[in-house]
């Protein structure tokens, strides 16, 4: 142990390690700042949703039948209000989403206007079984999760005839949407009742559709090229390109069990969990989330600082040239400042350009400083080129999401292998003595000049 404390290299290594630990403080502060800005962006998106329209989900159309059933109990007859639901036999939805952005300061939220068409038909045979009761009211209902997004309703037909709709569904479990009242006497239980409903729906980010029909087909399209398909069902086919996407879903009552789940939810709101999960849809995601990429970038800060400090330490030992811990500290702070530049610039010019500008600024600064520190412009340029190459490799890791861990691990292994191979014959005790002698010579030279 005494030998270790008398070893100049061991002491210097301890100083460098201590400085490395101290640098985690500013890096942690930058990471907290990224989280704070990301949280602020989410708050802005929620605020925009509260003042315009939120994520949308379409449930319907379906028929709601209110009737009175006479129930006898203990020789007494009661009139009980009942409600029955008839789901469409076929349900086809097509929607084209036109995306746009809303801004609050430097923050943004992605919204869409979906030109939606609902087509299909009802099998009214179930209605004949209900005619034995006193049918009070029949409504065709369409549930919308946020009815503020219903910008325009047009071309509404039922049974080939134009209909008028009124706001609200009249159902507690699905309060928002619209409905139309039907004349029970004009409903023929022996024929199919076709519907064709068209409206313009605004929402934020996500559009979800409940496969309400016994046979359901859904087709969603948009010019936005970055869809994320969500829900319990993936598309049976999809076409995604830079020009946008087009996706199709298909399901039936056997795969969704929708009739039972819908009935359970309507009769008991606490039984809606499984019904709420039955959905298919899309989320218009933003792949250039600079806060997420900045978080991923700062995760590699330990690797960058370790490599730079290790290169300085090896250069110091191999050239027998002592470097002051303060010089290590300035270099470490410059490396940490790179991430602060990255997050601040990315909010204005985008992540890619912010990364390029920050990497160039950090490289130029450190190249000039290292060149002066080593009294060699050549070494400064070599260091700058190496650092710029390292930033380039890290940028490649950020883009390769699926292979980032593998590529990062291979990079660390390759660098460690190179360092071990280059230093396999180094006698660290001898290097320590040479470093001490070199330091004494510098001190004597300075004294003679004085």
């Amino acid at each position: 142990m005494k030998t270790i404390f008398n070893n100049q290299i061991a002491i210097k290594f301890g100083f460098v390690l201590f400085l490395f630990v101290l640098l985690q403080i500013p890096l942690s502060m930058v990471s907290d700042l990224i989280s704070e800005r990301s949280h602020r962006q989410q708050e802005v998106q929620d605020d925009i949703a509260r003042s315009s329209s939120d994520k949308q989900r379409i449930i319907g159309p379906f028929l709601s039948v209110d009737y009175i059933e006479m129930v006898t109990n203990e020789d007494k007859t009661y009139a009980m209000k009942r409600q029955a639901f008839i789901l469409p036999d076929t349900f086809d939805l097509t929607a084209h989403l036109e995306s746009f952005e809303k801004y609050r300061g430097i923050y943004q939220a992605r919204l869409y206007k979906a030109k939606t068409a609902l087509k299909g038909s009802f099998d009214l045979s179930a209605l004949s079984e209900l005619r034995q009761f006193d049918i009070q009211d029949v409504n065709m209902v369409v549930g919308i999760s946020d009815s503020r997004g219903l910008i325009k309703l047009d071309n509404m037909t039922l049974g080939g005839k134009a209909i008028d709709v009124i706001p609200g569904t009249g159902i507690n479990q699905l309060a928002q949407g619209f409905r139309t009242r039907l004349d029970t006497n004009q409903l023929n239980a022996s024929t199919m009742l076709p519907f064709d409903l068209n409206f313009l729906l605004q929402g934020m980010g996500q559009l979800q559709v409940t496969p309400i029909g016994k046979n359901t087909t859904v087709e969603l399209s948009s010019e936005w090229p970055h869809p994320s398909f969500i829900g319990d069902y993936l598309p049976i086919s999809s076409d995604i390109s830079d020009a946008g996407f087009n996706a199709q879903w298909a399901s039936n009552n056997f795969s969704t069990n929708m009739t039972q789940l819908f009935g359970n939810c309507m009769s008991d709101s606490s039984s809606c969990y499984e019904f709420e999960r039955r959905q298919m849809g899309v989320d218009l995601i933003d792949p250039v989330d600079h806060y997420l990429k900045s978080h991923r970038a700062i995760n590699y800060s330990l690797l960058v600082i370790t490599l730079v400090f290790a290169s300085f330490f090896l250069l110091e030992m191999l050239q027998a040239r002592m470097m002051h811990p303060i010089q290590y500290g300035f270099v470490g702070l410059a490396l940490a400042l790179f991430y602060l530049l990255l997050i601040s610039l990315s909010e204005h010019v985008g992540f890619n350009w912010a990364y390029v500008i920050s990497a160039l600024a950090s490289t130029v600064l450190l190249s000039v400083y290292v060149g002066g520190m080593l009294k060699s412009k050549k070494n400064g340029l070599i260091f700058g080129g190496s650092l710029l190459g390292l930033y380039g490799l890290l940028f490649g890791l950020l883009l390769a999401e699926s292979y980032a861990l593998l590529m990062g691990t291979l990079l660390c292994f390759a660098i460690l292998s190179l360092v071990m191979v280059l230093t396999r014959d180094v006698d660290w005790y001898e290097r320590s003595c040479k470093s001490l002698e070199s330091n004494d010579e510098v001190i004597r030279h300075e004294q003679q000049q004085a």
Side-chain angles (χ1 to χ4, degrees):
M1 182 65 68
K2 184 177 180 180
T3 304
I4 295 178
F5 284 109
N6 290 331
N7 191 316
Q8 187 73 8
I9 293 180
I11 295 176
K12 189 59 172 290
F13 182 80
F15 271 115
V16 173
L17 184 62
F18 177 70
L19 182 60
F20 179 85
V21 174
L22 285 181
L23 284 173
Q24 303 313 305
I25 297 176
L27 289 174
S28 176
M29 295 173 65
V30 174
S31 180
D32 291 341
L33 177 62
I34 296 174
S35 299
E36 178 187 343
R37 305 291 281 187
S38 179
H39 181 67
R40 174 57 181 160
Q41 177 175 262
Q42 185 61 49
E43 288 181 343
V44 170
Q45 291 177 350
D46 294 340
D47 184 58
I48 292 176
R50 284 192 296 268
S51 60
S52 58
S53 54
D54 207 343
K55 303 171 184 177
Q56 293 289 11
R57 183 179 183 184
I58 301 173
I59 305 175
F62 57 88
L63 297 182
S64 171
V65 183
D66 298 322
Y67 64 94
I68 295 178
E69 180 181 3
M70 304 305 295
V71 179
T72 301
N73 185 18
E74 296 181 355
D75 298 331
K76 294 183 179 180
T77 301
Y78 302 91
M80 301 292 294
K81 293 183 178 181
R82 305 284 191 184
Q83 194 172 42
F85 301 95
I86 301 176
L87 304 186
D89 191 67
T90 60
F91 172 74
D92 302 319
L93 180 145
T94 59
H96 182 75
L97 287 69
E98 296 182 0
S99 66
F100 63 98
E101 297 173 344
K102 282 191 175 182
Y103 289 87
R104 294 284 173 85
I106 62 174
Y107 303 100
Q108 68 177 27
R110 181 160 301 281
L111 290 84
Y112 61 82
K113 292 181 180 178
K115 188 176 182 181
T116 308
L118 306 179
K119 296 181 180 180
S121 59
F122 290 100
D123 183 359
L124 298 181
S125 59
L127 190 62
S128 60
E129 300 177 2
L130 297 174
R131 291 191 185 278
Q132 59 180 310
F133 307 111
D134 183 12
I135 297 178
Q136 300 291 305
D137 200 10
V138 178
N139 289 277
M140 185 187 70
V141 179
V142 177
I144 304 293
S145 58
D146 190 347
S147 58
R148 294 176 302 167
L150 286 170
I151 299 176
K152 183 180 181 182
L153 303 176
D154 55 5
N155 297 328
M156 300 284 193
T157 64
L158 182 65
K161 299 180 181 180
I163 58 174
D164 295 324
V165 298
I166 56 177
T169 63
I171 301 173
N172 293 333
Q173 290 84 343
L174 301 172
Q176 301 190 62
F178 59 87
R179 71 184 187 274
T180 183
R181 184 172 287 106
L182 307 182
D183 187 350
T184 309
N185 298 323
Q186 295 182 1
L187 296 178
N188 188 348
S190 61
T191 61
M192 303 294 290
L193 180 65
F195 59 85
D196 186 357
L197 312 176
N198 298 272
F199 52 88
L200 186 63
L201 180 65
Q202 177 179 290
M204 176 179 290
Q206 296 182 9
L207 175 61
Q208 303 169 355
V209 180
T210 299
I212 198 88
K214 294 180 180 178
N215 291 282
T216 298
T217 61
V218 173
E219 181 176 356
L220 302 178
S221 61
S222 175
E223 283 81 18
W224 183 249
H226 307 290
S228 175
F229 301 120
I230 56 178
D232 279 1
Y233 304 91
L234 291 176
I236 58 173
S237 64
S238 60
D239 181 19
I240 304 173
S241 66
D242 293 337
F245 74 90
N246 185 281
Q248 297 84 32
W249 289 259
S251 67
N252 54 63
N253 195 38
F254 293 97
S255 62
T256 63
N257 194 26
M258 185 56 62
T259 302
Q260 179 179 344
L261 296 179
F262 184 83
N264 292 341
C265 180
M266 293 300 104
S267 60
D268 183 4
S269 58
S270 63
S271 303
C272 291
Y273 175 73
E274 289 295 332
F275 170 70
E276 294 290 340
R277 291 181 54 189
R278 292 293 191 269
Q279 55 188 329
M280 49 185 63
V282 68
D283 186 2
L284 304 183
I285 63 173
D286 188 354
V288 191
D289 188 344
H290 48 269
Y291 296 115
L292 177 60
K293 287 190 174 182
S294 297
H295 263 302
R296 294 181 58 201
I298 205 169
N299 288 335
Y300 292 102
S301 61
L302 297 180
L303 174 62
V304 175
I305 296 177
T306 300
L307 290 177
V308 173
F309 278 13
S311 64
F312 280 172
F313 191 78
L314 289 176
L315 185 64
E316 183 178 349
M317 295 301 103
L318 295 177
Q319 292 188 355
R321 179 183 179 84
M322 299 298 291
M323 298 180 189
H324 199 278
I326 291 180
Q327 294 174 314
Y328 279 89
F330 281 135
V331 172
L333 288 175
L335 293 173
L337 187 61
F338 162 80
Y339 298 98
L340 187 59
L341 281 173
L342 178 62
I343 181 60
S344 58
L345 288 173
S346 65
E347 293 181 336
H348 300 277
V349 299
F351 180 83
N352 292 349
W353 277 111
Y355 192 95
V356 172
I357 296 172
S358 302
L360 289 175
S362 179
T363 300
V364 170
L365 173 62
L366 288 173
S367 296
V368 173
Y369 185 74
V370 171
M373 187 174 62
L374 299 178
K375 301 296 189 292
S376 172
K377 292 183 179 180
K378 180 180 178 181
N379 289 338
L381 291 175
I382 293 175
F383 174 81
S386 301
L387 181 61
L388 195 61
L390 178 60
Y391 281 136
L393 287 175
L394 294 180
F395 187 73
L397 291 179
L398 296 177
L399 296 181
E401 296 184 4
S402 301
Y403 299 96
L405 179 60
L406 176 61
M407 294 173 62
T409 303
L410 293 177
L411 176 62
C412 293
F413 182 80
I415 293 174
L416 179 61
S417 301
L418 178 62
V419 172
M420 293 178 67
V421 169
L422 292 176
T423 61
R424 65 186 185 278
D425 297 325
V426 174
D427 187 340
W428 295 102
Y429 288 104
E430 180 183 357
R431 291 292 175 184
S432 179
C433 294
K434 288 183 178 180
S435 298
L436 288 173
E437 293 173 0
S438 177
N439 192 35
D440 292 339
E441 290 178 1
V442 172
I443 294 175
R444 284 196 299 269
H445 179 69
E446 291 177 350
Q447 292 175 346
Q448 290 175 358
Q449 287 182 342

